């Protein structure tokens, strides 16, 4: 999932980007409300993690502006404000969730996965199944014929994107968008390399399903 992180504390933002990237999210960071609104106009992300204490526009106003044009865009609010009033205002204005600072990174990732599952057709479960391959998004675990399969982060993200999109057409751009953050440099053959490595670890029943998704997996 592609997340727009709106946070003016650059050190906190860097930590959040690194932590969420390890959890399988592609994260783009901006430091102000104006930048956030411009980023969403340019390319709508899958989710927004929005700090309320921004230097230019109050986060609640940013949320209100987002809701005017992107009613279905999930937004999770972050704030250091102690009072319940801001929490109530944020939820009333359309926020999907709320997390008070300081917070545990794993809790933030878990809350984002809950939102992610609501967005997908697999909202009732964290498990994705295609043939003999099962991926548990909550545990970040993959099994093939009930046997554990360890995957590097990018290969896990690629597999997750493919399993979530069975029966849909995925272009190169769509797949790269699921694996890399905005502005991150991607070599011309990076996607092919990930697919090649992933294919060698997967059974033929899965490969046959992947071939129908729209991006052809290269032969071994």
């Amino acid at each position: 999932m592609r997340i727009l992180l709106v946070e003016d504390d650059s050190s906190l933002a860097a930590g959040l980007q690194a932590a969420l990237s390890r959890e399988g999210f592609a994260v783009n960071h901006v430091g102000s409300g104006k930048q956030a609104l411009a980023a969403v106009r340019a390319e709508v992300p899958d989710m927004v993690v929005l700090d309320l204490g921004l230097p230019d526009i109050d986060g609640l106003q940013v949320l209100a502006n987002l809701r005017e044009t992107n009613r279905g865009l999930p937004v999770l609010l972050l704030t250091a404000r102690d009072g319940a009033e801001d929490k109530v205002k944020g939820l009333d204005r359309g926020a999907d969730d709320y997390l008070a600072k300081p917070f545990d990174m794993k809790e933030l990732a878990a809350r984002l996965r809950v939102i992610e599952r609501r967005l997908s057709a697999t909202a009732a479960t964290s498990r994705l199944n295609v043939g003999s391959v099962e991926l548990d998004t909550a545990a970040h675990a993959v099994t093939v014929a009930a046997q554990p399969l360890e995957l590097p982060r990018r290969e896990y993200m690629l597999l997750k994107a493919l399993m979530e999109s069975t029966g849909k057409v995925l272009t190169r751009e769509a797949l790269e968008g699921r694996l890399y953050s905005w502005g991150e440099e991607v070599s011309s053959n990076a996607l092919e390399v990930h697919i090649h490595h992933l294919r060698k670890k997967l059974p033929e029943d899965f490969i046959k399903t992947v071939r129908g998704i729209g991006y052809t997996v290269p032969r071994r």
Side-chain angles (χ1 to χ4, degrees), residues 4-16:
L4 177 63
L5 171 63
V6 189
E7 170 60 62
D8 66 314
D9 185 330
S10 57
S11 60
L12 175 58
L16 286 171

Side-chain angles (χ1 to χ4, degrees), residues 97-129:
D97 204 350
Y98 185 103
L99 198 55
K101 299 177 181 178
F103 53 83
D104 184 86
M105 294 287 190
K106 290 189 178 296
E107 180 180 2
L108 173 60
R111 287 174 181 247
L112 292 175
R113 286 195 294 269
V114 169
I115 296 173
E116 181 181 9
R117 289 197 294 272
R118 287 209 302 263
L119 293 176
S120 72
T122 59
T125 178
S126 65
R127 297 178 186 273
L128 303 172
N129 293 91

